[in-house]
């Protein structure tokens, strides 16, 4: 802010320009409420003026973090702001603007040559999920007048496909940093000469380039320190001209289609600190010259086709290495049992590599690990004492899924936030957990006993998966305390007692299947508006289904749910055994194999987004409501082994996605409605209903009613039924919700390591950006 604004007020022309910019902004949280005509613009939020002249020199409107929320600006990004004659710093980044306005007479921007820093990068594609709107900038002519520009960031803005962007960039002689990530550039002139001799930082990631990396490209600038070409379709070999970039600190070529071997000469890039070659098709052995990169902090080389052996020689001089990712590799690791690395890692990912059967002894020496990922690595034997000390030290993420570790960890306290120990042979009691634990997956083990009393303190717990263990006892007090819980899976255990009534209002997925729960279904379960998956099957529940079913909002109107992690379970559904992965777009209700009675509430057949409904093996009575035809997304329907009666509604014939149907062993009667859908199932879907007839069963032999008297009422009823069903189907709406960027964890287990890599990259980038901006403010 201007420290002397009581003496020198801001320039009137500048104030009018700022007010013009302000007119198009939607600021529901009042971030720029100080921008009013009654006050000096030098004291407006985000505005900085010169102490002497009162002219606006800086405008910083990036989001603020307040009260655990982020205050974004929306509306119009009006580039009239560039008309501020003495503006040297403009940061509108990380907002979610709806449209970009370029002044109709661009030549009015005649005083922008003083602009040094320009950041217009957006977060629309990551935050504005409801619209998922992509912003276009159709004209870039205004850039050519910014001759003093040193920093330019237009990331996440779609730039014109046919553009003179790079000719304009060539005309900016002072440009040091250029960031054009996720701009849909498609075709980058890798094969053309670009006069970017001043460039120090170049980020062209996520642009879907399809091209070779030709030798000439790495002649861009010998001063280049940061180069990011990740998440494109770049193919071919890594050119030897890469060695021209002797000042390179950061090189990211990940998520491309690069082939061939890694040049041995890569060891000559003596200043490099972060190297990412992961997720390509690189072959051959990993060059031992990597061991010469003594400044290396981050090394990602996993998910390639490397072969051969790797030994301690490769790491002999990597004194500063902090992050190592070699996951999804066929490399043979040849380390001596007594090898002590020269580094201390904070992140190690060796998932899907052949490490076992013994736990790698050198990992025990790592005292600062925050992330340890060793899933699917063939490990079965550990040094009990060293292993216990190690996993208790891991502070962020511990991922040991899909091994064969058989240890008793009941006396340990695991302090990580994300814990995946699923698909092992851990036995006896559950471990104690950090009060900050967020995601806990201990499924497919042999844990026994009850949930520890200390787990009541898990106030941040978002996902708990204990599927398929030998756990027992009641869970009433625990579930009532976990107010942030979104996913609870206690299936395939021996839990008992009643289902808790005070569960988290944030729950999206509840699986209590195959336990010993008894009593009635709490009405509170059907007041959970975010619930998309409810499985209470194979318990001892009794009573009827509560009438308030329609409060399951997410089963009426669809939004793409974001689960905090993936859930994979074994189910018997659609008449078959399935390895079933639950996604955010799944909508399921399974109450089968209980002792439930009474009529099914009408509201249940109005949940038009449900895809799987299983009420089988209970004692339900009554008829199928004709409104079932509105459940147009239904894929699997099982009402078998109940006491339903009456006719099958004709409206069911419009359920075109129905792939599995079982109405057997009830008391249905009359003729199965004709239509391609219901006749596509075989007789086993209808057997056990003695008074039911019609294809695919035997033809009806009962006397037909007089068509002159019976038909009109039947047609009217069927028409009403179909009409109501169609109306119900048309009620589908779309809604969306944002659940914390860090909460959007990946849904496919194979890519989990990529998530952590993304988090670290983004964190580093934001940190560096903030530090740079802070230093600029201090200098000014």
């Amino acid at each position: 802010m201007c420290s002397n604004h009581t003496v020198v007020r801001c320039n009137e022309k500048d104030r009018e320009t700022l007010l013009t910019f302000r007119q198009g902004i939607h600021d529901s949280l009042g971030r720029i409420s100080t921008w009013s005509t009654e006050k000096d613009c030098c004291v407006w939020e985000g505005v900085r003026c010169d102490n002497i002249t009162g002219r606006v020199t800086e405008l910083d409107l990036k989001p603020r973090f307040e009260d655990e929320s982020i205050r974004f600006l929306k509306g119009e990004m009006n580039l009239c702001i560039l008309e501020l004659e003495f503006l040297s710093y403009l940061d509108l980044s990380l907002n979610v603007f709806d449209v970009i306005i370029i002044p109709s007479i661009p030549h009015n921007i005649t005083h922008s040559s003083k602009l040094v820093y320009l950041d217009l990068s957006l977060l629309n594609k990551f935050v504005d999920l409801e619209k998922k709107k992509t912003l276009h900038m159709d004209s870039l002519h205004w850039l050519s007048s910014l001759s003093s520009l040193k920093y330019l960031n237009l990331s996440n803005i779609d730039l014109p496909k046919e553009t003179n962007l790079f000719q304009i960039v060539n005309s900016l002689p002072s440009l040091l940093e250029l960031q054009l990530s996720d701009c849909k550039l498609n075709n980058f002139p890798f094969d053309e000469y670009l006069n970017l001799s001043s460039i120090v930082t170049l980020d062209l990631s996520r642009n879907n380039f399809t091209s070779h990396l030709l030798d000439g490209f790495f002649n861009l600038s010998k001063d280049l320190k940061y180069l990011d070409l990740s998440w494109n379709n770049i193919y071919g070999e890594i050119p030897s001209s890469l060695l021209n970039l002797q000042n390179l600190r950061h090189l990211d070529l990940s998520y491309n289609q690069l082939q061939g071997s890694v040049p041995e000469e890569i060891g000559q890039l003596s200043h490099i600190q972060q190297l990412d070659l992961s997720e390509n098709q690189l072959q051959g052995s990993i060059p031992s010259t990597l061991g010469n990169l003594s400044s290396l902090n981050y090394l990602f080389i996993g998910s390639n086709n490397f072969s051969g052996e790797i030994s301690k020689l490769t790491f002999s001089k990597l004194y500063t290495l902090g992050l190592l990712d070699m996951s999804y590799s066929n490399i043979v690791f040849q380390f001596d049992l007594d090898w002590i690395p020269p580094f201390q890692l904070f992140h190690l990912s060796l998932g899907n590599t052949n490490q076992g059967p013994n736990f790698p002894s050198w990992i025990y020496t790592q005292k600062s690990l925050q992330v340890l990922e060793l899933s699917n690595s063939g490990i079965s034997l550990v040094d009990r004492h060293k292993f216990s000390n190690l996993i208790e030290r891991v502070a962020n993420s511990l991922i040991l899924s899909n091994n064969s570790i058989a240890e008793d960890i009941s006396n340990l306290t695991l302090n990580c936030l994300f814990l995946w120990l699923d698909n092992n042979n851990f036995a006896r009691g559950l471990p104690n957990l950090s009060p900050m634990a967020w995601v806990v997956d201990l499924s497919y083990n042999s844990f026994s006993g009850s949930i520890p009393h200390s787990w009541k303190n898990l106030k941040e717990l978002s996902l708990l998966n204990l599927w398929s263990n030998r756990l027992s006892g009641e869970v009433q007090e625990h579930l009532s305390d976990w107010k942030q819980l979104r996913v609870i899976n206690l299936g395939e255990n021996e839990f008992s007692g009643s289902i808790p009534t005070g569960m988290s209002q944030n729950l999206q997925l509840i699986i209590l299947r195959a336990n010993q729960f008894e009593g009635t279904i709490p009405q509170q379960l059907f007041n959970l508006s975010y619930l998309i998956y409810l499985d209470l099957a194979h318990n001892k529940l009794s009573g009827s289904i509560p009438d308030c079913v329609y409060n399951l909002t997410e089963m009426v109107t669809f939004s793409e749910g974001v689960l905090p992690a993936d859930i994979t379970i074994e189910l018997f559904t659609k008449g078959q055994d399935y390895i079933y992965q639950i996604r955010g777009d799944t909508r399921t209700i399974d109450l089968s194999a209980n002792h439930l009675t009474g009529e099914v509430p009408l509201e249940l057949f109005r949940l038009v987004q449900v895809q799987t409904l299983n009420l089988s093996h209970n004692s339900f009575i009554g008829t199928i409501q004709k409104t079932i035809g509105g459940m147009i997304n239904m894929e699997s329907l099982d009402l078998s082994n109940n006491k339903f009666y009456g006719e099958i509604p004709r409206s069911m014939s419009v359920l075109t996605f129905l792939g599995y149907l079982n109405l057997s062993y009830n008391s249905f009667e009359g003729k199965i409605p004709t239509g391609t859908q219901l006749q596509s199932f075989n007789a086993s879907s209808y057997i056990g209903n003695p008074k039911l007839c019609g294809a695919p069963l035997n033809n009806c032999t009962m006397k037909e009613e007089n068509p002159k008297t019976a038909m009109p009422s039947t047609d009217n009823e069927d028409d009403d039924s179909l009409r109501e069903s169609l109306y119900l189907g048309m009620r589908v709406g779309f809604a969306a919700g944002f659940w914390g960027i860090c909460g959007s964890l990946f849904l496919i287990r194979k890519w989990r390591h990529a998530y952590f890599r993304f988090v670290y990259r983004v964190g580093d980038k934001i940190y560096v950006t903030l530090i740079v901006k802070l230093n600029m403010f201090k200098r000014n």
Side-chain angles (χ1 to χ4, degrees):
M1 298 298 176
C2 179
S3 60
N4 195 26
H5 64 271
T6 57
V7 177
V8 180
R9 299 177 63 87
C10 82
N11 178 271
E12 179 65 22
K13 183 178 179 181
D14 289 355
R15 186 174 67 86
E16 292 299 325
T17 301
L18 290 171
L19 288 175
T20 300
F21 171 78
R22 169 70 178 86
Q23 288 176 357
I25 294 179
H26 305 149
D27 183 23
S28 59
L29 295 177
R31 266 199 60 204
I32 55 177
S33 58
T34 58
W35 289 32
S36 73
T37 56
E38 289 83 18
K39 296 182 179 179
D40 179 5
C41 71
C42 287
V43 299
W44 291 354
E45 181 173 346
V47 179
R48 183 183 178 93
C49 298
D50 183 270
N51 289 359
I52 300 175
T53 66
R55 302 304 297 266
V56 175
T57 58
E58 296 185 8
L59 182 60
D60 184 355
L61 292 177
K62 62 180 177 294
R64 301 286 188 263
F65 292 80
E66 297 182 6
D67 300 325
E68 298 183 354
S69 62
I70 307 177
R71 302 170 63 186
F72 299 107
L73 294 181
K74 297 184 179 181
E76 297 178 354
M77 180 197 289
N78 192 336
L79 292 185
C80 71
I81 204 72
L82 294 175
E83 296 177 12
L84 295 169
E85 298 179 44
F86 292 88
L87 189 67
S88 63
Y89 184 100
L90 176 58
D91 190 346
L92 303 179
S93 65
L94 307 182
N95 285 295
V96 285
F97 290 106
D98 302 318
V99 66
I100 299 175
I101 302 296
I102 299 176
S104 57
I105 306 177
H107 300 292
N108 285 349
I109 306 176
T110 58
H111 303 286
S112 56
S113 61
K114 293 181 176 58
L115 192 64
V116 173
Y117 185 102
L118 178 59
D119 191 342
L120 305 181
S121 58
L122 300 178
L123 276 185
N124 291 45
K125 299 176 184 179
F126 306 103
V127 175
D128 201 10
L129 297 178
E130 182 175 353
K131 296 182 180 179
K132 294 185 179 179
K133 187 172 183 178
T134 300
L135 289 192
H136 301 265
M137 186 175 288
D138 296 326
S139 175
L140 295 166
H141 59 274
W142 52 274
L143 275 175
S144 58
S145 63
L146 308 181
S147 57
S148 298
L149 201 62
K150 293 184 178 181
Y151 179 97
L152 174 61
N153 191 343
L154 301 179
S155 296
N156 302 312
I157 298 176
D158 286 357
L159 300 178
K161 292 184 179 180
E162 299 298 331
T163 178
N164 58 351
L165 169 65
F166 295 105
Q167 286 73 17
I168 293 174
V169 169
N170 282 338
S171 70
L172 302 177
S174 303
L175 194 64
L176 298 176
E177 298 189 32
L178 176 61
Q179 300 200 37
L180 300 174
S181 176
D182 203 3
C183 291
K184 293 188 177 179
L185 296 176
N186 297 112
N187 296 311
F188 183 81
F190 287 113
D191 55 346
E192 298 179 12
Y193 177 71
L194 296 176
N195 183 21
L196 302 179
S197 57
S198 64
I199 291 289
V200 174
T201 296
L202 180 60
D203 184 353
L204 298 175
S205 61
R206 298 177 181 272
N207 276 297
N208 199 32
F209 296 134
T210 302
S211 176
H212 279 88
L213 276 179
L214 301 181
D215 279 339
F217 176 73
F218 291 107
N219 293 321
L220 289 175
S221 169
K222 293 185 178 180
D223 295 324
L224 195 66
K225 295 181 179 180
Y226 182 106
L227 176 61
D228 190 345
L229 299 177
S230 63
W231 294 89
N232 286 294
N233 287 315
I234 300 172
Y235 57 92
E237 298 186 357
I238 300 175
S240 58
S241 58
L242 174 66
L243 303 178
N244 295 335
L245 307 179
Q246 287 294 311
N247 291 315
L248 204 61
R249 265 65 169 175
H250 179 112
L251 175 62
D252 192 344
L253 300 177
S254 63
Y255 289 90
N256 280 290
Q257 306 295 325
L258 294 172
Q259 299 174 326
S261 59
V262 179
E264 288 282 341
E265 294 81 5
I266 198 169
Q268 299 176 22
L269 298 177
S270 58
H271 298 293
I272 200 160
Q273 298 172 358
Q274 298 186 24
L275 175 62
D276 194 343
L277 304 177
S278 62
E279 300 290 345
N280 279 286
Q281 300 172 23
L282 297 169
Q283 301 171 345
S285 59
I286 295 176
S288 59
T289 55
L290 280 178
N292 298 328
L293 303 178
S294 58
S295 299
L296 199 61
N297 297 324
Y298 290 13
L299 177 60
F300 298 94
I301 53 176
S303 298
N304 279 287
N305 298 321
F306 292 125
S307 57
E309 297 181 354
I310 189 169
S311 68
K312 64 181 182 180
L313 294 177
T314 307
F315 302 98
S316 58
K317 298 180 182 179
L318 303 186
Y319 308 111
T320 62
L321 192 64
L323 189 153
L324 175 62
D325 187 343
M326 300 178 65
S327 55
Y328 291 90
S329 297
N330 294 319
I331 304 167
V332 177
F333 294 82
Q334 295 285 4
F335 296 122
D336 297 334
L337 293 178
D338 59 351
W339 178 56
I340 300 178
F343 48 74
Q344 283 291 320
L345 301 174
F346 68 88
H347 181 131
L348 173 62
S349 183
L350 295 176
N352 286 268
T353 59
N354 187 13
Q355 299 292 326
N358 290 295
F359 193 94
S361 58
W362 68 270
I363 299 179
Y364 293 137
T365 68
Q366 302 301 295
K367 307 297 184 181
S368 304
L369 280 174
Q370 297 181 33
V371 174
L372 174 59
E373 205 270 294
L374 276 169
S375 61
N376 198 27
S377 298
I379 298 173
S380 58
L381 302 174
V382 302
D383 182 309
R384 179 169 298 175
H385 178 68
K386 292 180 179 179
F387 179 74
S388 298
N389 288 336
L390 174 67
I391 64 175
E392 283 191 310
R393 289 196 303 266
V394 176
N396 187 287
S397 302
L398 177 61
I399 308 170
L400 300 177
S401 307
N402 295 290
N403 285 290
S404 300
I405 303 173
E407 285 296 312
D408 175 9
I409 58 175
S410 58
N411 293 325
L412 302 184
T413 298
L414 304 182
N415 293 297
C416 51
L417 306 182
F418 303 91
L419 176 64
W420 283 279
L421 300 182
D422 56 285
N423 290 276
N424 278 283
N425 296 320
F426 289 105
R428 303 190 69 176
L430 294 168
N432 295 308
L433 301 176
S434 163
M436 302 303 293
W438 190 27
V439 172
V440 177
D441 189 345
L442 304 177
S443 60
Y444 294 104
N445 278 286
S446 297
F447 287 111
S448 59
S450 59
I451 296 177
H453 181 74
S454 63
W455 282 29
K456 284 172 59 65
N457 299 320
L458 305 182
K459 304 299 183 183
E460 304 299 323
L461 190 63
S462 181
L463 179 149
L464 176 62
N465 187 1
L466 299 178
W467 173 271
S468 190
N469 279 282
R470 301 170 184 172
L471 298 165
S472 58
E474 297 189 6
V475 296
Q476 176 79 36
E477 61 175 349
H478 295 89
L479 280 176
S480 298
D481 286 331
W482 297 333
K483 299 302 183 183
Q484 301 301 319
L485 198 62
R486 297 172 59 199
V487 171
I488 176 72
N489 183 359
L490 305 181
E492 295 283 354
N493 281 285
E494 299 172 11
F495 290 114
S496 58
S498 59
I499 296 176
T501 59
M503 287 194 281
S504 166
Q505 292 297 306
N506 298 311
L507 275 164
Q508 295 175 268
L509 186 149
I510 299 175
I511 300 177
L512 306 180
R513 182 188 189 91
N515 280 285
Q516 303 296 320
F517 290 110
E518 54 189 3
T520 60
I521 300 176
Q523 177 176 321
Q524 289 84 349
L525 280 187
F526 294 97
N527 288 324
L528 300 175
S529 57
Y530 298 113
L531 193 65
I532 63 172
Y533 197 104
L534 176 62
D535 188 349
L536 308 179
H538 292 270
N539 280 285
K540 298 178 180 180
L541 300 172
S542 57
S544 59
I545 300 176
D547 291 333
C548 54
V549 177
Y550 203 67
N551 291 335
L552 298 174
T553 308
E554 280 295 322
M555 296 195 187
V556 180
T557 58
F558 179 82
S559 63
E560 185 72 32
V562 180
L563 298 175
D566 62 309
I567 291 289
T568 302
I569 58 178
E570 295 180 9
L571 282 181
F572 184 81
T573 184
K574 297 185 180 181
Q576 302 178 50
D577 286 308
Y578 275 81
I579 302 296
Y580 188 69
Q581 186 171 35
I582 301 172
R583 307 180 308 272
D585 59 355
T586 302
R587 301 292 186 274
T588 292
I589 296 178
D590 192 342
L591 307 178
S592 61
N594 280 286
H595 306 305
L596 299 171
T597 58
E599 294 190 5
V600 177
L602 173 64
E603 287 77 8
L604 184 64
F605 295 115
R606 295 183 182 271
L607 303 181
V608 296
Q609 294 298 336
V610 170
Q611 296 151 303
T612 298
L613 177 61
N614 191 347
L615 304 179
S616 65
H617 295 276
N618 281 287
S619 297
F620 290 118
I621 62 173
T623 61
I624 301 179
Q625 300 292 333
K626 59 184 178 181
T627 53
I628 195 173
M631 304 178 78
I632 57 175
N633 297 291
M634 186 77 73
E635 298 175 5
S636 176
L637 175 63
D638 193 343
L639 304 180
S640 64
N641 290 276
N642 278 285
K643 299 177 181 179
F644 290 113
Y645 55 81
E647 295 185 350
I648 299 174
R650 185 182 174 190
S651 61
M652 283 184 61
S653 62
V654 303
L655 302 180
T656 55
F657 291 106
L658 198 60
Y660 177 81
L661 174 67
N662 193 348
L663 303 179
S664 63
Y665 298 102
N666 281 283
S667 298
F668 292 116
E669 60 185 35
K671 185 177 181 180
I672 299 173
T674 56
T676 57
Q677 193 62 32
L678 297 182
Q679 273 67 51
S680 65
F681 303 103
N682 59 41
S684 63
S685 295
Y686 303 100
I687 60 173
N689 294 281
K691 297 183 180 181
L692 195 61
C693 61
L697 301 177
N698 295 329
N699 290 331
C700 295
T701 58
M702 65 183 66
K703 183 177 180 181
E704 297 287 348
E705 295 186 60
N706 186 336
K708 293 182 180 180
T709 59
M711 188 62 72
S713 62
T714 303
D715 287 346
N716 289 338
E717 181 181 351
D718 288 342
D719 289 344
D720 290 343
S721 174
L722 286 172
R723 188 181 297 111
E724 183 171 356
S725 299
L726 290 173
Y727 285 157
L728 283 171
M730 294 172 64
R731 295 178 60 188
V732 179
F734 292 92
F738 175 67
W739 238 93
I741 295 174
C742 65
S744 301
L745 296 179
F746 42 95
L747 295 178
I748 302 175
R749 191 185 309 273
K750 178 179 178 181
W751 299 98
R752 189 177 282 144
H753 71 288
Y755 159 74
F756 291 111
R757 179 159 58 251
F758 173 77
V759 169
Y760 280 114
R761 285 184 190 145
V762 172
D764 287 344
K765 190 173 292 187
I766 292 176
Y767 173 78
V768 172
T769 301
L770 291 176
I771 292 300
V772 169
K773 293 177 180 178
L774 181 61
N775 289 336
M776 292 185 68
F777 276 122
K778 289 180 178 179
R779 286 198 299 271
N780 291 331

